[in-house]
Amino acid sequence: MIELLALPYWQETSIKLGLALVVIPTTSLILVYLFLFKMMAFMQSRLGPNETGPYGSLQLIAEAIKFLQKEDINPAQADRRVFRLAPVVVLASTFLLYVVLPAGPDAVVQNLDTGVFYAMAVSSLSVLGILMAGWASANKYALLGGLRAAGQLIAYELPLILAVMGVVIQAETMNLQGIIEAQATGEIFGIGLIGNPFILTQFLAFLIFMIAAQAELTQTPFDMPVAETELVGGYHIEYTGFRFLLFFMAEFGTAFAFAALASVMFLGGWWIPGFDVDSNILNILGPGVMLGKILLVAFFIFWVRFTYPRLREDQLQKFAWKVLIPLALVNIVITGIFKVVF
Amino acid sequence: MASESVEETPLLPDDVREAMLTSLSEALGDALVESYLRPHEDLWLRVRADRWQDVAQTAKSLGYTYFGFLSAIDWEIAPEGRYENTEFDGELEEEDSEPVVQSTSTGYAGGDTRFQVIVQLQSPTEHTAFHLKTDVGEDNSIDTLRDIYAGADWHEREIHEMFGIGFRGHPNLHPLYLPGEFEGHPLRKDFPLLARHVKPWPGVVDIEDIPEHLEAELEAQVMAAFEAAGGGE
Amino acid sequence: MTTTSDRDQLAYISSQAADARVNVELNTGDMTLNIGPQHPATHGTLRIACRLDGEQVIMAEPMMGYMHRGYEKLCEVRTYPQCTTLINRIDWLGSFANEVPFILAAERLMEVEAPPRAQWIRTILFELSRIANVALFLGDMGVQLGALTPVFFAFRDREHVLNQIEAITGGRFHPNFDRIGGLKDDIPRGWIEETKSVMVKMRTFCDEMEDLLVGNEIFQARCRGVGVIPADVALNYGMSGANLRASGVDWDLRRDANPGLAWDQIDWRVWTHPDGDSFARYWVRLQETREATYIVDKLLDGIPSGPIMAKVPRIIKVPAGEAYISTENPLGEMGYYIVSKGELGPFRVKIRTPSFNNISVVPWVMKGVYVPDVITILGSLYFILGDIDR
C-alpha cells in the first residue's frame, strides 16, 4: 500500500520509524495493563488499578510519569558509561525485533528475506545489555543476575532456533511473510479452508518455542536473573527512574514481539481465511487479527508466569540441554523426513 | 466434664519424676549437689560447675537428647528498686496485708553464687524434661556445652554478652545481638535501664484505685455470676 | 529418613571434590554475599553472610540483633499483666499463642487454675492464631520460590481468621486478651457459627495450596532433597515444631506435655514426615493447618459453660518460685522461664523462642547449597524476626 503512494525513500522510512516508535510503547502498555495489572489482579483476587481513567487504564501513563520524575541514580562504584548504556542496548534489541514483524501484506517495516534469522539474531543482543547492566552496577546481586541471564539466554537461544528450524523447513523460506503465505496457501488433507497453520504440523516445535521464549523473556518459571526474592531484581537492582522504565518497556516489548513471532510462525499471522494473501484489505484488517493472536499467545505466557514457581539455575540448564534441545532435533529430523517423502 | 476430672485428682506422688530423679542422681553420682521436685510440674538439679560437661554428656546418654534452652540468672537484687518508683511501691506494700519479702534465697535447688546457668533438657521419646543448674564461680566462666548440644552455641553467645559469663572452649563468643562497641552486660541486675532514668515508668499507675462503692458493686456482681454458674468449687 | 540424606551427602561430597579440582585449576576466588538485613526473603532484618563459590554456598552465618528489643530486661521492670503487652510482639503473627505460656507459668506459680470454659476458649484462640500464622507461611513459601499468586490467597483467607480473632478480642494482631486466671471477656453471640464457616474456608484454602504448590512439579523440584535435616541433628540443635516433625520425630507438646489446655479433651492427630527436607516442612505445616481447623471445629462443639475468670486478687503478686511452661506455638516450642520473688513483677524471665533454635541450624544446613536453596531453606524453616531477636 505504501508502495502505491509512491513516496520517496526518506519519507517512507520516517513514516515507518514514527509508526514503530508509537507502536512499541503502546504494545508494552497494552500487555502491562491487560496482563500484569488486570489479569494478575483477578487471578489473585484483587481488583488491580481502578481509579486512574476508565477501569484504571491510564494507570500506566501515571506510572511512566512517576518513573520519569524520579532521580537518575548512578551508584558510586558503578562503571558509569556502561551502566547508563546498558538499558539502551536492551531496548535497542527490542526495537530491532519490530523491524521484521509483519502486520499485513505490506504493513511491515522491512520485509527481509532472512527475517527469521534476523529476528533470532537481534533478540540475543539483549544478553549483551543485561551482562553490561549486571557487571557495571557494581552490585553482587546484579552480577549474579547478569551471569545467570547470560547462561540462561545462551542456553535457550539454541532450542528457540532449533524449534524455528522445523517451521523454516516446512515453509521453505526464512522470510516471515513467506511463512505466512505458506500457511495461508497450505492445505490440511487437501482442504484449504483455513490454510495450514503450522501449529498443527509443528505442535512440538510450538511448545519448545513457547518454553524457550519464556526463558528468553525471563518470565517466571525461568526468571532467575530477576528473582525478586533471591536476587532482589537481579541485573536491574541498581536502576531507577527512566532507566528502569527502559528495562521494563524492553521486557514487555520483547514479550509482545515474541508473541508476534509465535503467531506469525505457528498461528498463520495476519491472514484471514477466505481472503487472498495479497489483497489490500488485509493491510487494514491484518493488524487487528495479529493483535488478537498476539494477545492470545501473550495470555498463555503470562498465565504461566503468574502461576508457577521458578526453577533453579542448574535445573533450568539441565532442562534446556537434556530435554528441549534433543526434542527440537528430533522435530527437525521428523520434519525433514516428511518434507522429503511427501 | 473437664472440671470434674480436675477435682478428683488428689496430689498423687509423681512417679515419673521420682523415677527420673532416681536414675539421674544415680548416674550423676557426686556431681549432683541438690535437687528440687515440684510434683507433676518440674524437676531441678543443681550440679557442680567443674563437672558441667560430664553431666551434660551423662544426661544425653540417658536419652535427654533434645536441647531446650540455656540461660542464666543473676540473683543480685537490683540496687535501685524494682519499679523506679519507690514511693509508689511503698504505698502498695502498706496497702497489701502481706509485705513483699525480698528473699535472698536463690531459687529452687539452692545456689551459692550470684550467677547461675540453667539448661533445660528434654527426652524426645519419654517426653520428659528437667532443668540443670550450676553455680558460676569466681572466674565467671564455665565449660561450653557446644560440643555436646550443638544448639547451645548461640545460647552461650547470648548469655556471654548479656551476663558476661564466659564459656571455656567456645570458639567464637562474639556478640550475637549487641553492636560491637556496646559496653556492659544488659541483663545483669546492676545494669541500669537508662530509659527509666530519663523518664520514670508511668505504667504502674494502671493499678489505680477504683472508687470504693463501684468496687463493692463489681465484686458482688462477679461473685453472683461465679456462684450462679457453679464454677470454682 | 537417613537414606535420602546419605545419598545427598555423597552427591554433595563428590560435587565438592570435583569443584575443588576446577577451582585449583582455574584459581577462582570466593565472594561474600550478604543476604539481608534488607532482603525480601528474610521477612525483616535478618542478615546472612554467605561465602560463595560461584553460586554455591561455602559458609553461611546468620547475624541477628537488628531488631533486638530487650524484652527479657523490660519484663523485669513491669508487672505481670503489663508483660503480656510485650510478649504479644514476639511472634507477631501468632500473638495470642505467645501470651498463653507466660500466663500459664504465672498461674502455676500462683496455684490458680483458669475455669474450664476459659481453657477451651484459650485453646480455640491459640489454634486460630496458629492458622492465621501458618496460613501466611503456606502462601509465602510460594513467593520465596517465585510463585506470586499463593501469597495473595493466603492474605485473603487469613483475613477471615483475623476477623474472628478481632471479634472476640478486639485486636487483630495483638489481642492482649489472656489474663492470669482466665480471659478478659466471653465470646460474642454468633461467633461459634461464624468461626465454623471460616474454618470451612480455611480448609478450601489448604486444598488450594495443595493444588497450587504441593502438586506442582517445579515446587517439588525446588524443595525435595533441599536442606535435609536428620532427626538427630534437629534434636541436637533444639529445633521444634513442624521443623522437628518434618524430620520424623513424633513429638507435639500439645499432646505430649499439655499444660492444662483443652487439647487432651478431643481427638486429633500429629502429622510427621520422614524426609526432613524443605518439602517435608511445607507438607507438615499444611497438614497441621488443616488439622487445626478440625481441632477448632471440635473445640467449638464442646465449649463447657461456666465462668471465664477464676478468683484472683486485683493486684497480682506471684509467690516466690520458678516455673517453666512451654507450648506448641505456630513456630514451635515457645516457653517462658519465670523466676519470681513474690513481687508485682517477675524477677527474671527467660523467653525461649522457637525461631532462635530453629535458625541456629542454618550454618549447618546451608553448607554446599546453591543461592536459590538458601531462600528455600530459610523459607521452609519459617522464622519470624521478632521471635529470633526478642
Side-chain angles (χ1 to χ4, degrees), chain C residues 94-106:
Chain C
S95 300
F96 185 81
N98 295 340
E99 299 172 24
V100 173
F102 180 82
I103 296 288
L104 286 174

Side-chain angles (χ1 to χ4, degrees), chain C residues 93-265:
Chain C
L93 292 179
S95 300
F96 185 81
N98 295 340
E99 299 172 24
V100 173
F102 180 82
I103 296 288
L104 286 174
E107 282 179 0
R108 173 176 283 186
L109 283 175
M110 289 178 74
E111 289 172 357
V112 172
E113 194 164 353
R117 187 177 175 82
Q119 299 282 32
W120 279 69
I121 298 173
R122 262 182 199 172
T123 320
I124 292 170
L125 280 172
F126 197 104
E127 291 300 321
L128 283 182
S129 53
R130 178 191 311 282
I131 295 168
N133 186 336
V134 183
L136 201 56
F137 160 80
L138 295 176
D140 181 66
M141 187 71 186
V143 170
Q144 305 291 334
L145 299 179
L148 283 176
T149 308
V151 79
F152 288 96
F153 290 177
F155 273 114
R156 178 194 68 195
D157 289 334
R158 179 168 163 269
E159 199 66 22
H160 302 303
V161 182
L162 289 181
N163 285 343
Q164 290 314 102
I165 296 177
E166 186 185 12
I168 177 167
T169 67
R172 287 156 52 81
F173 257 54
H174 301 303
N176 204 9
F177 189 65
D178 213 353
R179 299 284 186 271
I180 292 174
L183 291 169
K184 180 175 169 288
D185 265 322
D186 212 329
I187 50 177
R189 185 167 291 139
W191 191 79
I192 293 179
E193 284 70 35
E194 271 174 41
T195 311
K196 279 192 173 169
S197 69
V198 168
M199 288 305 110
V200 174
K201 278 181 197 154
M202 288 316 289
R203 280 194 281 275
T204 322
F205 165 74
C206 289
D207 295 341
E208 271 174 355
M209 288 300 120
E210 200 138 24
D211 291 346
L212 260 175
L213 290 177
V214 174
N216 186 304
E217 292 81 0
I218 298 179
F219 182 80
Q220 296 213 7
R222 285 294 306 278
C223 286
R224 280 203 191 267
V226 170
V228 179
I229 302 174
D232 55 334
V233 175
L235 289 170
N236 211 359
Y237 274 96
M239 290 173 70
S240 51
N243 293 332
L244 189 60
R245 286 189 286 279
S247 294
V249 181
D250 188 11
W251 187 8
D252 193 315
L253 292 171
R254 290 177 282 175
R255 182 194 62 193
D256 300 324
N258 184 8
L261 296 181
W263 287 302
D264 52 358
Q265 313 278 327

Side-chain angles (χ1 to χ4, degrees), chain A residues 140-141 148 230 306 310, chain C residues 32 34 39 55 145 149 222:
Chain A
K140 286 166 183 170
Y141 287 111
R148 279 182 185 190
E230 336 170 342
F306 301 139
R310 83 172 70 84
Chain C
T32 307
N34 277 308
H39 189 281
E55 282 226 22
L145 299 179
T149 308
R222 285 294 306 278

Side-chain angles (χ1 to χ4, degrees), chain C residues 36-49:
Chain C
Q38 310 284 325
H39 189 281
T42 58
H43 336 242
T45 47
L46 178 73
R47 175 175 150 214
I48 298 188

